[in-house]
Amino acid sequence: MVEFRIHDEHTAPQEVAPALEHAKRNFGFVPNLYGVFAESPQAFNGYQALSEQFQNTSLSTQAKHVVWLAASRQNSCHYCMAVHSAMAQQAGVDTDTIEAVRTDKPIPDESLEAVRRFTQAVIAHQGFVPEDETQAFLAAGYGQRQILDIVLGVAMKTLSNYTNHFANTPVDDAFQEHTWNT
């Protein structure tokens, strides 16, 4: 197995060191995923750009967290499941919703359940989502924009989930209580 270095603001390539310093000011530490991504400034910056754009999508805050969690679960990413469980909790997503996604159970809120199912379908079918599943998503009150917004979220999580698979990124101490195993 290849061992990936987890950079900090002192060891990172010059192009991303200021961003890691900024992350340390915001979080109080450099998240391990950022430290891994720092090895490639382009991967780091690409992830940051996807993240920023996903934050600006038409999806509600709760729906964004469901996308992050559902994609991370579908991709079996231990690191992102812990981080996004903590972030969802901090954002006020109810515990039942978080736990439903973590355990692959239906979310009681039908609108959020539609987001969970569609996100999983996008990944499971590699974008070739069966028509009946797409129509069910649309019937839940979503449109073409939300389809593309979810695809953006899936792209963001695929980049981080796969990176974590390669690097076997350790869960940061701040997220340990949300550790998840497949």
Side-chain angles (χ1 to χ4, degrees):
M1 174 181 272
V2 176
E3 286 197 36
F4 280 75
R5 182 174 187 176
I6 300 175
H7 289 280
D8 62 23
E9 68 276 20
H10 304 293
T11 65
Q14 190 174 8
E15 302 99 314
V16 295
L20 294 185
E21 289 173 9
H22 180 74
K24 188 171 186 175
R25 283 193 303 274
N26 284 346
F27 294 107
F29 62 97
V30 175
N32 287 334
L33 174 62
Y34 288 11
V36 170
F37 268 140
E39 184 68 29
S40 167
Q42 292 70 30
F44 181 92
N45 291 329
Y47 181 76
Q48 293 298 338
L50 289 170
S51 178
E52 181 181 321
Q53 291 305 308
F54 187 68
Q55 289 288 351
N56 295 322
T57 64
S58 64
L59 298 169
S60 71
T61 298
Q62 288 194 339
K64 288 173 193 161
H65 285 284
V66 168
V67 170
W68 286 323
L69 284 165
S72 297
R73 187 186 199 299
Q74 188 72 21
N75 285 327
S76 300
C77 184
H78 75 286
Y79 181 88
C80 286
M81 283 297 290
V83 171
H84 288 296
S85 294
M87 289 175 57
Q89 186 177 45
Q90 290 172 352
V93 177
D94 68 84
T95 305
D96 291 341
T97 297
I98 296 167
E99 195 56 30
V101 181
R102 286 174 60 95
T103 58
D104 200 26
K105 304 276 193 266
I107 298 172
D109 179 296
E110 290 180 18
S111 180
L112 293 176
E113 174 61 7
V115 170
R116 182 187 76 84
R117 290 180 55 83
F118 190 73
T119 301
Q120 288 179 324
V122 168
I123 296 166
H125 300 289
Q126 299 174 326
F128 295 103
V129 178
E131 185 64 24
D132 62 327
E133 293 184 52
T134 301
Q135 290 304 319
F137 180 70
L138 295 172
Y142 295 103
Q144 293 176 354
R145 180 174 181 177
Q146 288 76 41
I147 289 172
L148 296 175
D149 289 347
I150 287 175
V151 170
L152 175 61
V154 166
M156 176 193 165
K157 285 293 86 193
T158 301
L159 180 57
S160 63
N161 295 163
Y162 287 13
T163 296
N164 289 319
H165 294 182
F166 277 107
N168 195 29
T169 309
V171 175
D172 305 280
D173 290 343
F175 309 119
Q176 281 294 321
E177 73 178 90
H178 299 283
T179 298
W180 177 85
N181 296 301
T182 54

